[in-house]
């Protein structure tokens, strides 16, 4: 990886240049030297160097002035200034001007290696970050963390759907981040300068939901002392996000269908038709198609809403994103709690990676927040995590009860896929079928 | 590969830097290079004094990358310098590793991050103790290509 990092050493002392040249060549970097600032700048005009290691005191033009000119040529260049003890103040000035770091001559060999390695890592991270951004050119998706194939697929879908005005249903288990996806669609659409109005349908009774969605006129019901705009009205020009859409009543389903078709409605207790131009995004953790088959959700409304479907994968299907998510939440909560950034011990991260997270990203987020609150302020340790003890420890269950529980947990973990569950349990499929029958295990209805 | 050991006394006063109380490794390496016979394949000068290069506080050794000369010193490898008991065997092992490491550079080998590879960079004696005195498979492969 280092072979791609290029270094320019600028120092008027030949012995220093030679020493550094040898040192970095042995470390596998591409190295060149310049005897003064003028020579360095002329080299920089014709080619880019990733890291520039420059002496601060040089005849002709000093390191500070050169640093300013380098930054003007290439604002991304990493400049490390070298200084003798006497000129530390000048080095501090260089840092204020945006230099990456400074080292005092002579350096401890270990310090120098660390410094350059960190700078090289920063360059590689930046390159990686840019590559990822190029893959998915979405704005305001900082909270959607993940490089896994499954998440890249979701972001690609967000990218294509955000350009249209079609209705979208976002499905996924609880805690997978459906609302974040809705926000991403809105903030990348042409409607982004208008409101995104969110309604948590499951939290409201039928009457309240009606009033919330359509608004009401003064005196429409007891307590309605003023006219109030409904959410559809507020979303004019923008997007309305209806979370937990599967929970709305049959009556509301009819009302909603009518509004979606006509894009007009009447406030509760009113008689004036109000027009609103909104886009609908819904989310649910239920299987809407199944609810339609069971007669619990209107088929016509389902087809009206389900123009595009985006499925957000559960965390256990994108475990490779867990380290990134852990890092994201550590930064988020350390910042919000005004604490120094902490790390996570490898054993704790390993345990997190092995956990199947029924509560998905939300559960992981709560876990990290809790660990930061109760932890030692330096790193997240295994004991700061709320993992349940081993299923066998402290259990008073019989052997068959334990077997039943364990088989059920495994089936749940693999979405009742018999082959994968049997493989995990190290039994053949027939044995697993027999056990399921013996313990009368049934897949819970989604 | 045949190895010839020449014991030569060298007056080191010219290479001494009184302000640092150390010996200038860059100049020693240049001197060594000028002394090498054309019929010698690779040469390494072995010293017992504290070596430095202008930008670093000390070095165990250094070599001309892809060249034919290197130098190494036993000075900073001694246990007693770090408050530990004198251990001649350990000192010998460390010195062998430093010599092989520097010779590796003369064959164009760069620093390697395999923990046991002799080309792993070591800035403390503990780093040297952790590595073995041989090349990892990848460096060995590189060496086989470069040695011709």
């Amino acid at each position: 990886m280092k072979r791609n990092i290029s270094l320019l050493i600028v120092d008027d002392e030949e012995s220093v240049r030679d020493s550094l040249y040898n040192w970095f060549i042995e470390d596998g970097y591409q190295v060149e030297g310049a005897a003064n600032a003028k020579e360095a700048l002329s080299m920089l005009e014709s080619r880019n160097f990733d890291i520039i290691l420059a002496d601060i005191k040089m005849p002709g033009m000093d390191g500070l002035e050169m640093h300013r000119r380098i930054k003007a040529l290439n604002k991304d260049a990493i400049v490390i200034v070298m200084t003798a003890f006497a000129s530390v103040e000048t080095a501090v000035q260089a840092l204020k001007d945006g230099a990456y770091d400074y080292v005092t001559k002579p350096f401890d060999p270990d310090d120098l290696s660390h410094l350059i390695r960190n700078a090289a890592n920063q360059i590689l991270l930046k390159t990686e970050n840019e590559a990822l951004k190029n893959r998915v050119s979405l704005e305001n998706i900082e909270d959607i963390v993940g490089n896994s194939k499954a998440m890249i697929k979701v972001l690609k879908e967000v990218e294509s759907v955000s350009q249209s005005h079609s209705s979208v249903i976002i499905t996924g288990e609880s805690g997978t981040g459906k609302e974040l996806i809705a926000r991403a669609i809105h903030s990348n659409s042409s409607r982004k300068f208008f409101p995104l109005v969110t309604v948590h349908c499951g939290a409201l009774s039928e009457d309240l939901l009606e009033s919330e969605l359509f608004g009401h006129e003064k005196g429409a019901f007891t307590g309605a002392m003023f006219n109030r705009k409904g959410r559809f009205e507020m979303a004019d020009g923008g997007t309305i996000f209806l979370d937990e859409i599967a929970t709305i009543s049959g009556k509301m389903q009819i009302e909603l269908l009518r509004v979606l078709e006509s894009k007009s409605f009447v406030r509760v207790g009113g008689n004036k038709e109000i027009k609103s131009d909104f886009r609908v995004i819904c989310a649910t953790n239920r299987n809407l198609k199944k609810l339609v088959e069971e007669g619990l959700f209107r088929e016509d409304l389902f087809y009206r809403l389900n123009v595009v479907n985006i499925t957000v994968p559960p965390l256990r299907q994108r475990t490779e994103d867990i380290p990134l998510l852990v890092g994201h939440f550590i930064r988020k909560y350390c910042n919000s709690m005004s604490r120094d950034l902490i790390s996570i011990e490898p054993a704790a991260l390993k345990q997190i990676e092995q956990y199947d997270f029924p509560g998905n990203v939300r559960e992981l987020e709560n876990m990290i927040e809790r660990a930061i609150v109760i932890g030692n302020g330096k790193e997240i340790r295994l004991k700061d995590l709320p993992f349940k003890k081993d299923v066998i420890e402290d259990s008073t269950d019989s052997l068959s009860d334990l077997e039943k529980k364990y088989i059920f947990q495994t089936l749940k973990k693999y979405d009742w896929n018999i082959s994968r569950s049997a493989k995990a349990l190290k039994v053949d499929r027939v044995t697993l079928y027999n056990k399921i029958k013996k313990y009368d295990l049934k897949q819970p209805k989604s | 590969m045949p190895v010839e050991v020449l014991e030569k006394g060298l007056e080191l006063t010219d290479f001494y830097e009184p302000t640092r109380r150390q010996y200038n490794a860059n100049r020693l390496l240049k001197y060594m290079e000028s002394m090498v016979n054309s019929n010698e394949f690779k040469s390494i000068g072995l010293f017992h004094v504290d070596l430095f290069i202008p930008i670093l506080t000390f070095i165990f050794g250094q070599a001309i990358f892809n060249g034919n000369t290197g130098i190494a010193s036993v000075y900073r490898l001694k246990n007693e310098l770090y408050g530990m008991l004198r251990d001649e065997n350990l000192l010998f092992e460390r010195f062998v590793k430093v010599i092989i490491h520097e010779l590796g550079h003369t064959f164009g080998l760069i620093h390697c991050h395999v923990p046991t590879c002799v080309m792993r960079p070591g800035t403390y004696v503990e780093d040297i103790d952790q590595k073995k005195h041989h090349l990892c498979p990848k460096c060995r492969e590189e060496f086989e290509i470069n040695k011709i």
Side-chain angles (χ1 to χ4, degrees), chain A residues 2-3 15-16 18-20 22-23 25-28 105-110 112, chain B residues 20 26 30 53-58 62-63 65 102 105 110-111 113 121 123-124:
Chain A
K2 277 192 213 159
R3 283 175 201 273
S15 62
V16 171
D18 285 351
S19 303
L20 282 170
N22 284 336
W23 179 264
I25 279 283
E26 287 176 1
D27 243 351
K105 286 192 275 188
F107 330 123
D108 186 87
D110 209 38
L112 185 61
Chain B
R20 295 186 58 151
N26 281 349
K30 275 187 184 152
I53 54 174
I55 46 127
L56 294 180
T57 44
F58 71 91
Q62 78 165 344
F65 191 74
E102 297 308 333
H105 287 316
I110 60 167
H111 284 156
H113 293 283
T123 45
Y124 302 110

Side-chain angles (χ1 to χ4, degrees), chain A residues 342-354:
Chain A
I342 63 169
S343 58
I344 181 163
E345 69 173 20
L349 184 62
K350 197 176 169 196
Q351 185 75 44
I352 290 177
E353 284 176 316
Q354 284 169 355

Side-chain angles (χ1 to χ4, degrees), chain A residues 52 54 56 63-65 67-68 71 78-83 87-104 115:
Chain A
I52 296 129
I56 211 150
L64 279 185
E65 181 54 29
H67 169 242
R68 284 182 204 119
K71 284 284 177 185
I78 288 187
V79 181
I80 297 170
V81 291
M82 300 184 284
T83 166
S87 52
V88 165
E89 277 175 16
T90 335
V92 172
Q93 184 57 47
L95 289 187
K96 284 182 182 167
D97 287 347
Y100 178 78
D101 211 337
Y102 78 91
V103 273
T104 313
L115 187 61

Side-chain angles (χ1 to χ4, degrees), chain A residues 117-133:
Chain A
R117 219 174 292 151
N118 285 343
N121 271 344
Q122 179 168 315
I123 291 162
L124 291 170
L125 280 175
K126 202 168 175 208
T127 320
E128 215 173 278
N129 195 12
E130 273 163 12
L132 280 172
K133 276 185 185 160

Side-chain angles (χ1 to χ4, degrees), chain B residues 21-39:
Chain B
R21 295 182 189 170
Q22 288 173 303
Y23 292 81
N24 190 321
N26 281 349
R27 283 165 51 204
L28 264 176
L29 189 63
K30 275 187 184 152
Y31 175 80
M32 280 290 303
E33 196 186 15
S34 68
M35 298 297 287
V36 168
N37 292 327
S38 56
N39 57 351

Side-chain angles (χ1 to χ4, degrees), chain A residues 116-149:
Chain A
I116 300 295
R117 219 174 292 151
N118 285 343
N121 271 344
Q122 179 168 315
I123 291 162
L124 291 170
L125 280 175
K126 202 168 175 208
T127 320
E128 215 173 278
N129 195 12
E130 273 163 12
L132 280 172
K133 276 185 185 160
N134 286 339
R135 250 191 278 164
V136 180
S137 55
L138 291 171
E139 292 171 9
N140 304 322
I141 55 162
E142 293 78 12
D143 286 331
I144 303 174
V145 179
N147 291 336
S148 61
K149 271 188 187 166

Side-chain angles (χ1 to χ4, degrees), chain A residues 175-192:
Chain A
T176 47
K178 297 185 285 295
E179 190 168 346
L180 290 179
I181 299 296
R183 274 191 230 154
I185 295 172
H186 173 75
S187 57
N188 285 281
S189 71
S190 55
R191 296 173 175 268
K192 65 182 170 188

